[in-house]
Amino acid sequence: GKPLYVCKEPKGNIVVKVTKVVSHALAMKFRSQEKKSHWLDHADDKYDKTLIAHTKAALQVLVLFIPLPLFWSLFDQQGSRWTFQATHMDGGLGFYTIKPDQMQVVNPLLILVFIPIFDYGIYPFFAKFHFLKRPLQRIATGGLLSALSFAMSAFIELKLQPTYPYLPPSGTGQLRVFNGLGCEVTMTSSLESASESIRSLDALQVNISISGSEDSTLQFTTTPACTQFPNKKFSGNVSLQETKSVSVFLSTSSGNPIASQVPGVDFLVKLETGYPQLRVLYNLYPFQEELKLSQGKFSQTLILKEDITYTSLSPIFKTGKFTVTLDGSLVTNDLKLETAGVYTLIVHSNNSGTIAGLVTVTGPNTVHMLWLVPQYVIITAGEVMFSITGLQFSYTQAPESMKSLVASAWL
């Protein structure tokens, strides 16, 4: 079909021409004492009036583009801040798990759906009420809708904050005491808020005011109802660190209860992948090596070592309810690991059997990712009204010679 068209080579550079007109007009305005109806008219000694008139019209349109950077700076947050927000949410649908970056596909899909809906439905409907008839009305409404979408994003963020990990601030240290014994114990110490009963296979978490580091002794007493160690007293030392979280594990050694600090510091931050993380603290007699988590065809094995009582924090590459076995023997079939949660599994065994308790260190993502859809719908509606209408408006309002300049300025 090319022979049917008349192809003309582009002539001149309109951007250069406009720049020259504007710069010359400004220079002449400051040099001349003559008053003109418009400051661009000072360039009429060198440039023809048609070019000056077209430049005036183009500049009037360009003034309307001042809010553009604000709109696009908000709009482009979909690929950064909103995606980061999605990493703190639950994408599980049962049969499929939505990844945070997959939420970005919502906008282009909605664009394809919204353009005909707005052209044949929304605009004609509101035109009956003399609203959204003029391009500037649509552009202004689109900008307001974009702002509204971020108000919704802020509301979602408020709902997400309780699920964020608590990281000890400056002047504070965090202590967790995990009870791996088969009975309840009472802990006492000189530390602030660190005296309380701890049930079997449970944990005590306290935040302690501290500067730098501090060593302290924790005193423990088992309850009279404890069949293995009734009214048994024992103690352990803990080294607390400012802005860090440390753990103490109660277990047995040579038939006696002991309290020992777990080496290192606790990792509290969630994985952006959404996988839960699990650490195992174990007090096993007799010792068993292979702890397996199973769910349908999925299984993941954690290897326990006999000379220590803990594993490192490991990602579990699936969420949901698991069956836990220890060297093939059932421990529990009701271990629930949710999206991005950080957990500690306490396992205790003796000749009577094996029991386990799950402690949530950092809560899982409980707000579903689909709650982001309303803000995507609103900002996409804003984009249709602001961006598409603005591009059309800038092209139609610009003089024939300035259409390419104005269109490029919009983009």
Side-chain angles (χ1 to χ4, degrees), residues 24-47 49 52 56:
H24 182 71
L26 288 173
M28 295 303 297
K29 175 179 172 61
F30 289 108
R31 292 177 190 170
S32 174
Q33 299 297 322
E34 183 183 359
K35 291 188 177 181
K36 300 276 189 177
S37 60
H38 193 281
W39 63 272
L40 278 173
D41 291 332
H42 287 282
D44 59 6
D45 64 324
K46 187 175 181 180
Y47 298 96
K49 293 184 178 181
I52 295 174
K56 290 179 185 178

Side-chain angles (χ1 to χ4, degrees), residues 39 52 54 92 144 148 162 192 226 257 274 276 283 295 299 327 344 384 398 406:
W39 63 272
I52 295 174
H54 287 183
L144 292 174
L148 176 61
E192 171 190 4
C226 182
N283 181 28
Q295 182 189 131
S299 66
D327 280 356
T344 293
V384 171
V406 174

Side-chain angles (χ1 to χ4, degrees), residues 208-221:
I208 299 166
S209 298
I210 186 176
S211 178
S213 60
E214 179 181 335
D215 294 334
S216 183
T217 299
L218 307 177
Q219 306 288 340
F220 301 93
T221 305

Side-chain angles (χ1 to χ4, degrees), residues 232-303:
K232 182 73 172 182
K233 295 184 178 181
F234 60 102
S235 63
N237 296 322
V238 61
S239 179
L240 299 169
Q241 300 180 48
E242 184 180 4
T243 72
K244 303 294 183 182
S245 177
V246 298
S247 294
V248 170
F249 183 48
L250 309 184
S251 59
T252 56
S253 178
S254 302
N256 293 308
I258 61 169
S260 55
Q261 183 169 347
V262 179
V265 297
D266 295 347
F267 186 78
L268 310 177
V269 178
K270 301 177 180 182
L271 294 178
E272 291 187 3
T273 58
Y275 292 128
Q277 300 173 86
L278 182 68
R279 173 180 66 175
V280 182
L281 301 178
Y282 48 92
N283 181 28
L284 305 177
Y285 180 80
F287 176 74
Q288 298 166 83
E289 181 181 38
E290 187 178 275
L291 187 140
K292 180 181 287 188
L293 283 70
S294 304
Q295 182 189 131
K297 296 181 179 180
F298 172 85
S299 66
Q300 187 170 339
T301 300
L302 302 176
I303 301 300

Side-chain angles (χ1 to χ4, degrees), residues 89 103 152 156 366-376:
M89 305 179 77
M103 289 301 297
M152 295 187 66
I156 294 294
T366 54
V367 180
H368 202 278
M369 208 176 293
L370 292 182
W371 281 109
L372 292 176
V373 171
Q375 66 197 52
Y376 274 96

Side-chain angles (χ1 to χ4, degrees), residues 317-381:
F317 301 108
K318 198 171 181 62
T319 59
K321 191 176 292 186
F322 294 87
T323 296
V324 181
T325 58
L326 196 57
D327 280 356
S329 300
L330 179 66
V331 177
T332 178
N333 57 7
D334 194 28
L335 182 74
K336 191 174 183 181
L337 304 179
E338 298 181 89
T339 304
V342 181
Y343 302 94
T344 293
L345 178 66
I346 307 172
V347 184
H348 170 83
S349 74
N350 53 30
N351 293 328
S352 301
T354 303
I355 53 177
L358 186 68
V359 176
T360 300
V361 177
T362 299
N365 297 344
T366 54
V367 180
H368 202 278
M369 208 176 293
L370 292 182
W371 281 109
L372 292 176
V373 171
Q375 66 197 52
Y376 274 96
V377 170
I378 291 176
I379 199 169
T380 304

Side-chain angles (χ1 to χ4, degrees), residues 104-312:
Q104 295 181 48
V105 79
V106 173
N107 174 255
L109 290 178
L110 288 176
I111 283 287
L112 297 176
V113 174
F114 278 6
I115 290 177
I117 290 177
F118 272 75
D119 283 344
Y120 298 107
I122 293 178
Y123 289 153
F125 174 78
F126 281 101
K128 297 177 182 179
F129 306 97
H130 305 287
F131 183 60
L132 300 182
K133 291 180 66 175
R134 297 192 297 272
L136 292 181
Q137 286 182 332
R138 297 177 184 179
I139 293 173
T141 304
L144 292 174
L145 286 177
S146 300
L148 176 61
S149 70
F150 275 83
M152 295 187 66
S153 179
F155 177 76
I156 294 294
E157 188 67 22
L158 291 175
K159 296 297 182 182
L160 289 177
Q161 284 183 352
T163 69
Y164 290 166
Y166 176 80
L167 304 177
S170 178
T172 303
Q174 197 172 72
L175 170 66
R176 289 182 180 82
V177 181
F178 295 89
N179 184 5
L181 303 176
C183 55
E184 183 177 323
V185 299
T186 300
M187 184 182 80
T188 58
S189 80
S190 59
L191 295 174
E192 171 190 4
S193 305
S195 298
E196 197 171 328
S197 295
I198 312 172
R199 293 179 298 177
S200 175
L201 307 181
D202 204 349
L204 170 66
Q205 174 182 310
V206 291
N207 300 312
I208 299 166
S209 298
I210 186 176
S211 178
S213 60
E214 179 181 335
D215 294 334
S216 183
T217 299
L218 307 177
Q219 306 288 340
F220 301 93
T221 305
T222 61
T223 61
C226 182
T227 56
Q228 190 176 8
F229 314 107
N231 291 318
K232 182 73 172 182
K233 295 184 178 181
F234 60 102
S235 63
N237 296 322
V238 61
S239 179
L240 299 169
Q241 300 180 48
E242 184 180 4
T243 72
K244 303 294 183 182
S245 177
V246 298
S247 294
V248 170
F249 183 48
L250 309 184
S251 59
T252 56
S253 178
S254 302
N256 293 308
I258 61 169
S260 55
Q261 183 169 347
V262 179
V265 297
D266 295 347
F267 186 78
L268 310 177
V269 178
K270 301 177 180 182
L271 294 178
E272 291 187 3
T273 58
Y275 292 128
Q277 300 173 86
L278 182 68
R279 173 180 66 175
V280 182
L281 301 178
Y282 48 92
N283 181 28
L284 305 177
Y285 180 80
F287 176 74
Q288 298 166 83
E289 181 181 38
E290 187 178 275
L291 187 140
K292 180 181 287 188
L293 283 70
S294 304
Q295 182 189 131
K297 296 181 179 180
F298 172 85
S299 66
Q300 187 170 339
T301 300
L302 302 176
I303 301 300
L304 312 183
K305 297 180 180 180
E306 190 169 6
D307 56 339
I308 55 178
T309 59
Y310 59 90
T311 68
S312 59

